[in-house]
């Protein structure tokens, strides 16, 4: 399975229209048993974890299944835990 397909499946299987979620929710699902090999195999060479997770966020936006939540025309960012357990600002998505 390719990364794009895994991301789409995660969004379709876990979120209903109008649900809010962040990129870390999708990333955490990618790290689970069903998708961890896709996550690992898709990790680009010479890429940091932060860059890779940014690419995953881009794929969420490109999926056509979610849109960025805006506040006064600016992307709404929320604090969520990274895979390292640190709080970091992250885009909020709405399932469409």
């Amino acid at each position: 399975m390719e990364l794009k397909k895994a991301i789409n499946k995660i969004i379709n299987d876990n979120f209903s229209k109008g649900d809010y979620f962040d990129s870390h929710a999708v990333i955490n699902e990618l790290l689970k048993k069903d998708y961890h090999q896709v996550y690992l195999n898709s990790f680009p060479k010479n890429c940091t974890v932060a860059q890779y997770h940014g690419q995953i966020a881009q794929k969420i936006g490109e999926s056509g299944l979610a849109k960025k939540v805006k506040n006064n025309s600016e992307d709404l960012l929320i604090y969520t835990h990274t895979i390292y357990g640190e709080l970091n600002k992250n885009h909020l998505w709405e399932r469409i």
Side-chain angles (χ1 to χ4, degrees):
M1 178 182 295
E2 59 184 59
L3 183 62
K4 178 181 175 179
K5 186 174 180 180
I7 291 168
N8 290 357
K9 185 156 176 41
I10 288 167
I11 294 170
N12 279 322
D13 290 353
N14 293 282
F15 306 108
S16 300
K17 183 178 179 179
D19 284 349
Y20 293 100
F21 63 95
D22 71 331
S23 302
H24 289 140
V26 174
I27 291 164
N28 287 330
E29 289 299 310
L30 284 168
L31 293 171
K32 291 184 177 179
K33 181 181 176 182
D34 292 341
Y35 302 105
H36 74 279
Q37 208 57 54
V38 174
Y39 175 88
L40 293 173
N41 292 342
S42 300
F43 203 109
K45 292 180 182 176
N46 301 319
C47 186
T48 68
V49 171
Q51 290 169 331
Y52 182 39
H53 289 180
Q55 291 175 8
I56 291 170
Q58 254 185 320
K59 290 184 185 311
I60 293 170
E62 294 167 358
S63 72
L65 299 171
K67 64 179 180 179
K68 288 182 182 177
V69 176
K70 304 277 188 181
N71 182 20
N72 297 325
S73 74
E74 291 187 28
D75 292 352
L76 185 60
L77 303 176
I78 61 171
Y79 281 97
T80 57
H81 286 100
T82 68
I83 63 169
Y84 300 116
E86 300 165 347
L87 282 172
N88 199 2
K89 283 187 177 180
N90 205 5
H91 284 101
L92 185 64
W93 299 96
E94 182 181 1
R95 174 70 162 92
I96 53 177

